[in-house]
DNA sequence: ACAGTTGTTGGCAATTTTGCCAAAATGCCA
DNA sequence: TGGCATTTTGGCAAAATTGCCAACAACTGT
């Protein structure tokens, strides 16, 4: 594996990894419906504000999420909605595995 | 976030996480071209056989990769080629970030 | 039977990730 | 100006991930 291929795969993994956490999956899913500020997401997730802020910074550094300051709050939105395709692929994987029903994904 | 949503996001994250490592990205990319046995992939990756075997087992448990035993070897192939869409989305993200050139993804 | 190849598993140390608290920065309103 | 809400950052301990070696299992060919 040459250096260029190595760099490409590390870049790919870095961005995919940004999507590889339940809380961040939730945030992306929620932002696909409407923009939200950090504190709203924190309440929905049920975690500390700082925890959610760090999750969002991971998504922002990956280039997946945008943040826009309006007054006291910072509203988050999806920069690249194509990441939502991850979820439909996940459902394909689960269907092929015959394990979808146990995770409530098909309902 | 209700229990069903929580379970769904954990399932999604588990499968996306299987794709969130440079070595596993390489394996999936390589299997999109042709099937390979573990030892071939280990040579290409430049890692121990056992290390690659564990990476493949993560992909297999996620439902992304299939393994078929033929003689002495076990050949791996993609069970769900839709995971390749992850890569094109990654390139969209990089294009939007204007950082694609620094990672050699566009070349 | 025996040696060699291939693949998996267990164990372990090093690294990374995660989530909370505390503290600081910014902006709103009175 | 002072109090309050929102967000980020640093620090830290707990948890998860990673990669190697050693051991074991399965198959091939002699």
């Amino acid at each position: 594996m040459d250096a260029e291929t190595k760099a490409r795969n590390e870049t790919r993994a870095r961005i995919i990894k940004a999507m590889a956490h339940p809380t961040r999956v939730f945030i992306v899913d929620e932002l696909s419906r409407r923009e939200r500020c950090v504190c709203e997401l924190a309440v929905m997730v049920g975690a500390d504000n700082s925890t959610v802020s760090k999750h969002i910074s991971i998504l922002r550094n990956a280039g997946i999420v945008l943040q826009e300051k309006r007054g006291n709050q910072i509203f988050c939105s999806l920069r690249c909605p194509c990441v939502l395709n991850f979820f439909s692929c996940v459902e394909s994987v689960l269907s092929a595995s015959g394990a979808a029903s146990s995770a409530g994904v098909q309902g």
Side-chain angles (χ1 to χ4, degrees), chain A:
Chain A
M1 178 164 43
D2 60 283
E4 187 180 345
T5 301
K6 191 166 180 286
R8 175 166 53 245
N9 290 332
E10 284 170 358
T11 301
R12 286 169 165 176
R14 184 178 59 83
I15 293 177
I16 294 172
K17 191 180 295 187
M19 294 286 298
H21 189 281
T23 296
R24 298 197 289 271
V25 165
F26 174 86
I27 290 172
V28 167
D29 202 5
E30 187 58 34
L31 295 183
S32 75
R33 282 185 268 281
R34 63 169 101 165
E35 64 177 13
R36 293 286 195 183
C37 65
V38 178
C39 63
E40 282 176 320
L41 292 168
V43 169
M44 291 189 246
V45 167
D48 198 82
N49 260 10
S50 66
T51 299
V52 173
S53 176
K54 282 179 181 175
H55 280 302
I56 291 172
S57 95
I58 290 171
L59 290 168
R60 174 168 30 84
N61 288 336
I64 296 169
V65 155
L66 274 179
Q67 288 183 285
E68 186 190 351
K69 192 164 195 172
R70 286 208 295 277
N72 206 9
Q73 297 171 325
I74 299 184
F75 285 88
C76 307
S77 59
L78 285 188
R79 180 176 210 165
C80 286
C82 68
V83 295
L84 297 171
N85 297 336
F86 285 27
F87 301 155
S88 35
C89 177
V90 163
E91 290 178 21
S92 294
V93 171
L94 291 172
S95 300
S97 306
S101 59
S102 66
V105 172
Q106 296 291 323

